[in-house]
Amino acid sequence: MHKRAKFLFSIVIVLGIFFRVINIDQKIFTGDECITQVRAAGYKGESYGVDAYKGASVAKLLPRDQLVTAKDISRFQNIQAQPSPLDTLRVTATGAPQHPPLYWLLVRFWMQVFGNSVAAARSLSVIFSILTLPALYWMCWELFGSAVLSWIAVALVSVSPVHIFQAHNARPYSLWILMIVISSATLLRAMKGPQNRPKNWIAYGIALSISLYTYLFSLFILIAHGIYVLCEEGFSNTQKLKNYLLTSGWVLLSFSPWIAVILFNFNTANTMTAWTGTPVDSLTDLIWSYVKNLQEIFLFWNIHFDPLTPLTESSAVFFLGTALTLFISYAFYFLWRNSTRTDSTRKEWVFVFALTGVTVLTLMAADFILGGRRAALGRYLYPSMLGIQITVAYLLGITFKRSTTWRVVVVTLLSCGILSSAASVQTQTWRGHPDFALQSAQLINQAERPLVISDNDIVFGLMPLNTQLSSDVNWILVSEFDSITIPNQFSDIFLYEASTELQDYLKTKYEFEAVYKYPYPGSFIWPEPPPSILWQLKT
């Protein structure tokens, strides 16, 4: 590869690493991330919706209908010796069995060492995301044996906004992406190497087991790998096929304890994931949501782009998303055509097609047959996104030296990633929209002696606001309306994310004033909900 091209890709990769480490504590801590901390700390919140585990529950341990401080609430996000790691395992098993426990235990041990700050909670994801880059180079080298293609794939992923988003997210997805890549690379090494090297198959089995204990959808990776091995070996009684079947059987056996946990707590897992099967109003909007997922692999729209272009986020999906969809479709055709024309007996295109297709096609089939929006959720599609990025890298790696046009395409795609990532890491929300919790916290903190009242879910609903409040701000967490007594010592009384029933009850005693109203932006299958309002009570 030409030195100037390698220098360009090196600069892009350095930028990608910079985007991953900069401002990791700037974004507001989301409800999902609060669940991460609470679960890792060994507590259960209301949103888990189960009573099988009679252990420490945030809802039961926090006093209700009386004064508590922001510090009282935040202590459930701090890792202590008690609850123990065993409690973390129990909470996960009984409250969210669809999430295997490895990541939550790793976060727990990590935060015990580095503290309970937002940066500490997210830094583990940053490390996993950075490690993905050399692992991806290895995977592409094992698959295609091309340095140019490997460099381009790493450069595309390094500035891909969806990867940088997950690097700043205290959730298991960065670890899952890393293990998808490592398990794929170890399989390719085992398939290439001599048949009598068990260490390669052992490495593959360990990597795939870690992947399964990270995220349940790694079962799709196991299926994709099986399709590749069968296409390579056929149904002949070859040693490699035997090794794969033996290894995959061992992997499933090692994962069987958690499969038993899921089956034993199936109703809980089904309840926790039922929202993904909620029917969408429009099939067209569902399809455009799929297109949006494709666009965001390379370009993440930020509202700060609106005044710079005639496009809005929706029109960008219509025009740019459609163009990228056509481009990606051509890349897959090019990979298939180019691979089948070569004399090589290896079926690299089958590997990439299976890695990409198994997950997304399964979820799309579930959407169309059962109803729902599973394939519209980008976090479920990282195997498919990786397959798309590798396919695009293959197209660009082959054509990069042929013409200036293809070099412009490379620069354009990398520039889109750099531009959208640079915009997102500087703002307090990923798309640049205001945030209701963040704006509300600023208003509440300005009050001399504020009190906040709510009956919302403590972990998912209230902790994102609580992380932004001064530690001495007082709350009343309502459970019984008739038990509400508001002391006189507060200068300002705010009502935050309260139910309609609580609002109606308090309106019989107090006058309300809206001090902040936030209209959530809608997007295709996510219609615009009623605006959230921070109310101030007049006593």
Side-chain angles (χ1 to χ4, degrees), residues 382-428:
Y382 279 106
S384 303
M385 291 182 180
L386 283 167
I388 289 170
Q389 289 169 313
I390 292 169
T391 302
V392 170
Y394 180 88
L395 168 63
L396 300 178
I398 298 296
T399 59
F400 182 71
K401 298 179 181 180
R402 294 183 181 177
S403 69
T404 303
T405 301
W406 286 109
R407 288 193 286 272
V408 171
V409 172
V410 173
V411 172
T412 300
L413 289 177
L414 294 176
S415 297
C416 287
I418 292 170
L419 180 63
S420 52
S421 299
S424 291
V425 298
Q426 296 183 63
T427 55
Q428 293 181 303

Side-chain angles (χ1 to χ4, degrees), residues 308-452:
L308 303 177
T309 73
L311 299 176
T312 63
E313 183 176 357
S314 295
S315 60
V317 173
F318 290 132
F319 294 105
L320 300 180
T322 300
L324 280 168
T325 300
L326 294 174
F327 173 73
I328 291 167
S329 300
Y330 174 74
F332 276 99
Y333 168 73
F334 182 89
L335 170 61
W336 169 78
R337 186 192 65 181
N338 212 56
S339 297
T340 54
R341 283 183 176 179
T342 63
D343 295 330
S344 174
T345 58
R346 296 187 65 233
K347 298 178 176 62
E348 299 94 341
W349 67 274
V350 174
F351 181 89
V352 181
F353 275 51
L355 181 65
T356 308
V358 168
T359 302
V360 68
L361 293 178
T362 302
L363 297 180
M364 288 177 67
D367 286 345
F368 290 123
I369 297 172
L370 304 176
R373 56 194 70 197
R374 301 164 189 84
L377 304 173
R379 61 181 178 270
Y380 292 169
L381 303 176
Y382 279 106
S384 303
M385 291 182 180
L386 283 167
I388 289 170
Q389 289 169 313
I390 292 169
T391 302
V392 170
Y394 180 88
L395 168 63
L396 300 178
I398 298 296
T399 59
F400 182 71
K401 298 179 181 180
R402 294 183 181 177
S403 69
T404 303
T405 301
W406 286 109
R407 288 193 286 272
V408 171
V409 172
V410 173
V411 172
T412 300
L413 289 177
L414 294 176
S415 297
C416 287
I418 292 170
L419 180 63
S420 52
S421 299
S424 291
V425 298
Q426 296 183 63
T427 55
Q428 293 181 303
T429 59
W430 280 100
R431 299 184 190 277
H433 295 291
D435 182 83
F436 180 60
L438 185 63
Q439 302 299 320
S440 296
Q442 293 175 356
L443 293 169
I444 294 169
N445 286 334
Q446 290 173 5
E448 183 178 353
R449 295 184 306 279
L451 171 67
V452 185

Side-chain angles (χ1 to χ4, degrees), residues 204 208 218-228 244 354 358 362:
Y204 170 63
L208 190 57
S218 294
L219 289 169
F220 293 140
I221 307 303
L222 180 64
I223 295 171
H225 289 172
I227 292 172
Y228 170 68
Y244 171 76
V358 168
T362 302

